[in-house]
């Protein structure tokens, strides 16, 4: 059933519209871009803990894990070649996301989504058929290109298509799909690692084709956003017809006028990456850099990329570690992200950042304290401590899944004006992938050297980011995307940047 809504714009006008089946279906298809990212996160962690996979491609790691009893519990998986496999995707995604900005601006959000799905599909085929390390890593590079394009374009698509009052819920659909992807991948890993003959990892890697096919085929039938139509052409009537169809009403003049105004500014900008460093865009640029950076130093990749590895460190077997990884990182993540979808447009973004940050910090400190006291370089936990840590990991995952998980994609996609929106989202994705790459390259070495202290390291960052978001992020709930500039002009700190520029203008 369509739900009516009206949003006030700065001029006292209203955005009329409904949550129509057309916009819901379009956003569901686009949100499946999160599936490919989530599936890869889940598959990477699971496959790299499968003994047949390690024996074939990373025999040094396999030897340390199985035969060398003198290697520290924290150092068994420390291999530069193994981390190269994991992180090659992210450096490819970084480069692709910067190219995606031009594609998204010139050809539309739909075109970038299509490129992303196609590249990910090709990479999944190569990964499943790999017979040497070079083929395996080249497949990862193609997966990275797919993720770079999809992560750049999908959040923009969702924020532009969604009615302002429900933009948070629609955009978090991306994170819901990401969480479902992680859950599906971990459950699949649990099944494939039981296949006799040691080839189950091929199924895990090749099945990435399933979410990629959904996204690619769906992109062929998706409509373009009204914002993109106006930005790429002067056909205001075409944009108006699409806006009327998306909003389910003929009265779209107020929103259309805002889009035309934003588009007229956008078309004067030939080099958005140069434009974005200007003083008047300082608040958005700072958020585009710090939000994805903060997301990566929450410590989530301890749980996401290497959850099975951590569980093996806790002396759980291969089968148990994969199953528990599926429950912790997938099931809890999916449920709490859906809860975030329900709450984000009611409570706002800032309160979820605050509560989630506190929850993550407390759980990390307790986990680190237990591991420091109970787990040495050799030996293991008592059964009671092992399960207590699993409970705390669940608490941590829950806190991340309703705060930094979805909001780190939502907030950057809604704060940029149209003229720099594509470039801004590319910066967000690039920073995110840079630090995923850095974390993937260094985490196992950090775990080896920091040992339990790694939880205190990330816990300290959680304090910093929670404080920063509380002080410097204005609330953006229910604000129309083309009216977002007003929240910066009213903010106690950022108004001295944006306000001074307005006065000079």
């Amino acid at each position: 059933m369509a739900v009516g809504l009206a949003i006030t714009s700065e001029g006292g006008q209203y955005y009329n519209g409904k949550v129509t089946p057309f916009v819901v279906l379009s956003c569901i298809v686009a949100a499946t871009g999160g599936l490919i990212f989530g599936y890869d996160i889940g598959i990477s962690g699971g496959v790299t803990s499968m003994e047949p996979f390690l024996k074939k491609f990373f025999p040094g790691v396999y030897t340390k894990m199985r035969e060398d009893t003198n290697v520290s519990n924290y150092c068994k998986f420390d291999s530069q070649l193994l981390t190269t496999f994991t992180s090659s995707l992210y450096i490819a995604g970084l480069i692709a996301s910067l190219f995606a900005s031009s594609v998204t601006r010139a050809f539309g959000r739909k075109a970038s989504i299509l490129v992303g799905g196609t590249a990910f599909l090709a990479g999944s085929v190569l990964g499943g058929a790999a017979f040497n390390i070079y083929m395996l890593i080249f497949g990862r590079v193609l997966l990275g290109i797919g993720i770079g394009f999809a992560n750049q374009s999908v959040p923009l698509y969702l924020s532009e298509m969604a009615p302002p009052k429900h933009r948070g819920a629609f955009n978090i659909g991306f994170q819901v799909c990401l969480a479902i992807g992680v859950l599906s991948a971990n459950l699949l890993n649990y099944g494939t690692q039981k296949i006799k003959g040691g080839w189950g990892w091929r199924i895990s890697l090749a099945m990435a084709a399933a979410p990629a096919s959904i996204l690619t085929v769906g992109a062929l039938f998706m409509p373009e956003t009204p914002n993109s139509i106006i930005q790429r052409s002067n056909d205001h009537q075409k944009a108006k017809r699409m806006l009327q169809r998306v909003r389910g009403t003929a009265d779209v003049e107020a929103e259309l006028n805002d889009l035309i105004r934003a588009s007229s500014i956008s078309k004067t900008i030939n080099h958005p990456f140069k434009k974005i460093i200007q003083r008047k865009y300082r608040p958005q640029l700072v958020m585009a850099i710090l939000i994805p950076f903060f997301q990566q130093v929450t410590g989530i990749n301890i749980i996401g990329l290497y959850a099975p590895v951590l569980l093996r460190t806790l002396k759980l077997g291969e089968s148990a570690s994969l199953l528990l990884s599926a429950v912790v990182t997938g099931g809890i993540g999916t449920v709490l992200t859906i809860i975030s979808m329900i709450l984000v447009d009611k409570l706002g973004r800032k309160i979820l950042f605050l509560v989630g940050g506190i929850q993550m910090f407390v759980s990390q400190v307790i986990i680190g304290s237990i591991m420091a006291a109970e787990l040495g370089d050799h030996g293991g936990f008592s059964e009671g401590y092992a399960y207590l840590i699993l409970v705390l990991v669940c608490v941590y995952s829950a806190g991340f899944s309703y705060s930094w998980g979805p909001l780190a994609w939502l907030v950057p996609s809604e704060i940029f004006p149209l003229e720099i929106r594509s470039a801004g989202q590319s910066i967000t994705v690039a920073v995110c992938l840079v630090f995923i790459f850095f974390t993937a390259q260094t985490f196992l070495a950090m775990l080896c050297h920091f040992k339990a202290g790694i939880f205190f390291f990330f816990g300290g960052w959680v304090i910093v980011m929670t404080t920063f978001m509380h002080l410097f992020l204005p609330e953006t709930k229910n604000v129309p995307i083309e009216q977002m500039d007003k929240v910066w002009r009213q903010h106690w700190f950022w108004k001295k940047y944006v306000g001074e520029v307005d006065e000079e203008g």
Side-chain angles (χ1 to χ4, degrees):
M1 180 180 293
V3 180
L5 61 93
I7 304 297
T8 305
S9 70
E10 280 187 332
Q13 298 171 307
Y14 289 87
Y15 283 6
N16 296 305
K18 305 171 183 177
V19 179
T20 61
F22 178 73
V23 76
V24 170
L25 182 60
S26 299
C27 288
I28 288 175
V29 172
T32 58
L35 277 177
I36 64 175
F37 195 24
Y39 186 88
D40 180 79
I41 291 173
I43 284 297
S44 298
V47 165
T48 53
S49 71
M50 291 184 184
E51 293 180 6
F53 178 81
L54 293 174
K55 188 175 182 180
K56 181 175 179 62
F57 295 107
F58 308 98
V61 177
Y62 176 79
T63 299
K64 282 199 294 183
M65 184 180 72
R66 298 290 295 175
E67 301 172 10
D68 193 346
T69 57
N70 293 320
V71 177
S72 168
N73 282 323
Y74 295 96
C75 302
K76 290 183 178 181
F77 295 88
D78 184 13
S79 164
Q80 199 60 38
L81 186 60
L82 179 59
T83 53
T84 298
F85 161 75
T86 303
S87 57
S88 58
L89 178 148
Y90 302 109
I91 197 67
L94 159 65
I95 297 171
S97 68
L98 298 176
F99 281 102
S101 172
S102 298
V103 174
T104 303
R105 180 179 170 90
F107 300 101
R109 285 64 169 143
K110 178 178 174 178
S112 281
I113 293 173
L114 185 60
V115 171
T118 303
F120 199 89
L121 185 59
S124 64
V125 173
L126 274 180
F131 54 83
N132 59 41
I133 188 65
Y134 304 105
M135 190 173 177
L136 191 69
I137 291 178
F138 184 61
R140 291 284 292 173
V141 168
L142 287 176
L143 294 178
I145 293 172
I147 285 176
F149 271 86
N151 286 11
Q152 194 276 342
S153 52
V154 168
L156 290 185
Y157 186 94
L158 295 173
S159 287
E160 290 181 347
M161 288 289 281
K165 189 176 179 180
H166 302 286
R167 186 176 58 248
F170 274 77
N171 192 284
I172 289 177
F174 176 83
Q175 183 70 18
V176 170
C177 287
L178 193 155
I180 292 173
V182 172
L183 175 60
S184 301
N186 282 320
L187 290 175
L188 183 64
N189 280 336
Y190 179 68
T192 57
Q193 60 91 25
K194 292 179 176 293
I195 295 176
K196 295 181 179 179
W199 52 272
W201 60 268
R202 292 190 180 275
I203 295 178
S204 292
L205 294 180
M207 281 300 291
S213 298
I214 295 172
L215 181 63
T216 305
V217 174
L220 295 174
F221 300 97
M222 284 166 41
E224 188 55 88
T225 70
N227 312 61
S228 181
I229 292 172
I230 289 182
Q231 185 181 34
R232 293 182 296 113
S233 72
N234 290 316
D235 192 346
H236 295 171
Q237 288 304 310
K238 180 180 179 181
K240 182 178 181 179
R241 289 193 297 271
M242 178 56 69
L243 193 59
Q244 288 172 333
R245 190 178 181 192
V246 167
R247 299 292 179 247
T249 178
D251 185 9
V252 295
E253 291 301 323
E255 186 170 3
L256 180 64
N257 289 337
D258 280 345
L259 294 183
I260 293 173
R261 176 184 57 82
S263 176
S264 65
I265 298 173
S266 174
K267 289 174 182 177
T268 65
I269 307 301
N270 295 321
H271 304 287
F273 281 103
K274 292 181 180 179
K275 190 74 174 179
I276 201 172
I277 64 175
Q278 292 183 358
R279 182 181 176 87
K280 67 176 180 178
Y281 300 122
R282 191 70 46 80
Q284 295 95 327
L285 180 60
V286 169
M287 295 297 170
I289 294 172
L290 288 185
I291 288 178
F293 165 72
F294 283 150
Q295 186 191 45
Q296 297 313 310
V297 293
T298 56
I300 186 57
N301 288 316
I302 298 179
I303 307 301
L305 288 173
Y306 298 107
V309 174
L310 271 181
L311 293 169
R312 294 289 296 273
T313 297
L314 299 184
K315 296 300 182 182
L316 294 170
E318 180 180 11
S319 177
S321 69
L322 287 169
L323 180 60
L324 287 171
S325 174
V327 173
V328 171
T329 63
I332 293 176
T334 302
V335 172
L336 269 296
T337 304
I338 292 173
I339 291 175
S340 177
M341 178 184 284
I342 296 170
L343 296 178
V344 68
D345 290 313
K346 297 178 180 178
L347 300 181
R349 284 66 161 151
K350 294 187 68 170
I351 187 65
L352 295 183
F353 272 127
L354 179 63
V355 177
I358 294 172
Q359 184 172 325
M360 289 190 293
F361 171 72
V362 171
S363 57
Q364 282 175 315
V365 169
I366 298 175
I367 291 172
S369 300
I370 294 174
M371 291 188 71
E374 299 295 330
L375 183 65
D377 284 341
H378 306 284
F381 281 115
S382 67
E383 184 176 345
Y385 278 119
Y387 282 102
L388 176 58
I389 285 186
L390 288 177
V391 170
L392 291 167
V393 166
C394 291
V395 173
Y396 169 85
S397 296
F400 178 85
S401 296
Y402 68 75
S403 61
W404 279 96
L407 298 183
W409 293 106
L410 165 60
V411 174
S413 72
E414 66 181 1
I415 62 175
F416 289 101
L418 184 61
E419 65 266 24
I420 58 166
R421 189 170 297 151
S422 183
Q425 183 65 15
S426 287
I427 291 173
T428 298
V429 175
V431 172
C432 175
L433 294 177
V434 162
F435 285 100
I436 292 180
F437 172 79
F438 179 78
T439 303
Q441 283 290 326
T442 61
F443 167 71
L444 293 177
M446 289 174 66
L447 180 62
C448 181
H449 291 92
F450 281 28
K451 299 180 172 57
I454 197 168
F455 291 95
F456 299 103
F457 173 78
F458 287 119
W461 277 111
V462 170
I463 293 177
V464 172
M465 67 185 71
T466 302
T467 303
F468 178 87
M469 300 308 284
H470 180 68
L471 294 176
F472 296 103
L473 179 70
E475 184 55 68
T476 58
K477 71 172 182 177
N478 298 338
V479 180
I481 194 169
E482 303 301 351
Q483 296 284 346
M484 196 63 68
D485 56 333
K486 69 182 181 182
V487 302
W488 305 108
R489 294 200 302 268
Q490 296 169 356
H491 188 268
W492 70 272
F493 180 79
W494 297 118
K495 67 181 180 180
K496 67 183 179 182
Y497 292 92
V498 180
E500 287 177 6
V501 172
D502 287 347
E503 290 171 8
E504 291 170 5

